[in-house]
Amino acid sequence: MSQQYRSRPLGSDVALSEAYDTALLDLDGVVYAGGHAIVHAVESLGSAREGGMHLAYVTNNALRTPDAVAEHLTELGVPADATDVITSAQAVARLMADQLPSGARVLVVGGEGLRVALRERGLVPVESADDDPVAVVQGFGGPDLPWGRFAEAAYAISRGAVWFASNTDLTIPGARGIAPGNGAAVEVVRIATGAEPQVAGKPLPPMHRETVLRTGAKRPLVVGDRLDTDIEGAFNGGVDSLLVLTGVTDAAQLIAAEPRYRPTYVDRDLRGLLTGQPEVPEDGDGFRCGGWTAGVRGEVLVLDGEGDAIDGLRALCAAAWTHAGEGACGLDARKAVARLDL
């Protein structure tokens, strides 16, 4: 994918599962939320896999080990092996091993996923700043992570330990809604220390590097629900992306996106892997998709027509992104978005 700004979602004459050899799938908000499979995910992934697409699961959530993630996916009806799972814990462990000597002690603020990944790279997890760690690594630890863990991190960093973070997602989707993510916890330590961590997870290059090394993908498609991790990560890696609207991102945020957050394709859910994608051609002063036409009148985005709401969203994206160029769209889209049942 060119690093020039994208002015509209692309079309595809064939199903995305045929156009790309590997789907690099985010988990939270794409495959499951709060431990339960998202609607249409299981059957869609099964059909894509039966058609020959390799499925890899790429998550910024460092809490669980690849074995635990694969077991959970299999229980949900999505058969997976640990080798199909790539986590930000693995990415940050590789980043740390490139800088630290084998056997280095690392203070862990997070879950078992981090500890397993560190041991795989020859690093030694410890629990206290008094254990003389040379580094601190911070990853999502779940809702029961004790507050005292942040204090241990602050003590170690103030004594000279190098600080790493698996990712900086401020939020994480769950069964009951949107909850604070690892990025919110990282901010606690940042405020206490004034330090800045080295970060490995999406959208940064260490995660893309880890994914490519572990999957061997030749024609990958990133599939995610977040503009600032999944889609930006695809942009940074120079690969195409599919945004699904089953997680964090809503229509208004997508329409307003600046270039690095604009996906190649947009669909409701993972059924989008199994279909082609419609073109969004110019139509007079606007853009057409399905039965909808979108354009700009003054400082307002307008939408006319009827049909599949996702086609209306694609048309609105084309109008907004073209108008915004290399910036973020600041047009009033409220009435246009309200017409879509998304």
Side-chain angles (χ1 to χ4, degrees), residues 69-274:
V69 173
E71 181 179 355
H72 182 212
L73 286 168
T74 302
E75 290 173 351
L76 292 177
V78 182
D81 296 323
T83 54
D84 297 323
V85 179
I86 301 94
T87 73
S88 62
Q90 294 170 321
V92 77
R94 188 186 296 269
L95 179 65
M96 297 173 75
D98 287 344
Q99 301 179 39
L100 304 175
S102 180
R105 295 184 172 199
V106 178
L107 174 65
V108 176
V109 181
E112 186 63 15
L114 277 176
R115 294 176 176 84
V116 169
L118 291 174
R119 294 188 189 103
E120 287 178 348
R121 293 292 166 194
L123 302 173
V124 178
V126 299
E127 302 303 316
S128 171
D130 296 333
D131 292 327
D132 297 322
V134 299
V136 173
V137 63
Q138 192 169 355
F140 185 66
D144 299 322
L145 185 69
W147 185 259
R149 302 305 298 157
F150 303 140
E152 292 298 322
Y155 300 149
I157 292 166
S158 67
R159 296 173 189 175
V162 184
W163 185 22
F164 296 84
S166 64
N167 67 296
T168 52
D169 297 17
L170 290 174
T171 60
I172 187 168
R176 297 172 60 195
I178 303 300
N182 190 54
V186 166
E187 285 301 309
V188 172
V189 177
R190 191 200 310 268
I191 291 168
T193 63
E196 292 288 336
Q198 296 184 48
V199 183
K202 298 179 285 185
L204 298 173
M207 191 67 175
H208 182 70
R209 174 192 176 202
E210 191 72 20
T211 300
V212 170
L213 288 172
R214 289 180 180 266
T215 65
K218 303 300 182 185
R219 300 189 319 279
L221 177 70
V222 170
V223 184
D225 69 307
R226 301 183 69 107
L227 301 181
D228 60 349
T229 54
D230 305 314
I231 306 309
E232 186 181 7
F235 178 86
N236 290 340
V239 300
D240 288 344
S241 60
L242 166 66
L243 180 82
V244 292
L245 301 177
T246 49
V248 170
T249 301
D250 62 24
Q253 292 167 331
L254 177 61
I255 290 167
E258 58 186 276
R260 69 181 185 270
Y261 300 143
R262 296 172 188 170
T264 314
Y265 310 104
V266 179
D267 223 312
R268 272 193 182 83
D269 51 55
L270 287 177
R271 289 176 295 178
L273 285 175
L274 308 178

Side-chain angles (χ1 to χ4, degrees), residues 7 30 41 45-46 97 115 133 142 219 223 226 233 251 264 279 285 287:
S7 62
V30 175
L45 292 175
R115 294 176 176 84
R219 300 189 319 279
V223 184
R226 301 183 69 107
T264 314
E279 299 286 345
D285 294 331
F287 294 86

Side-chain angles (χ1 to χ4, degrees), residues 289-290 292-294 303 307-317 340 342:
C289 188
W292 300 94
T293 301
L303 183 66
D308 189 342
I310 202 70
D311 285 338
L313 179 58
R314 293 174 179 128
L316 283 170
C317 286
L340 303 175
L342 290 169

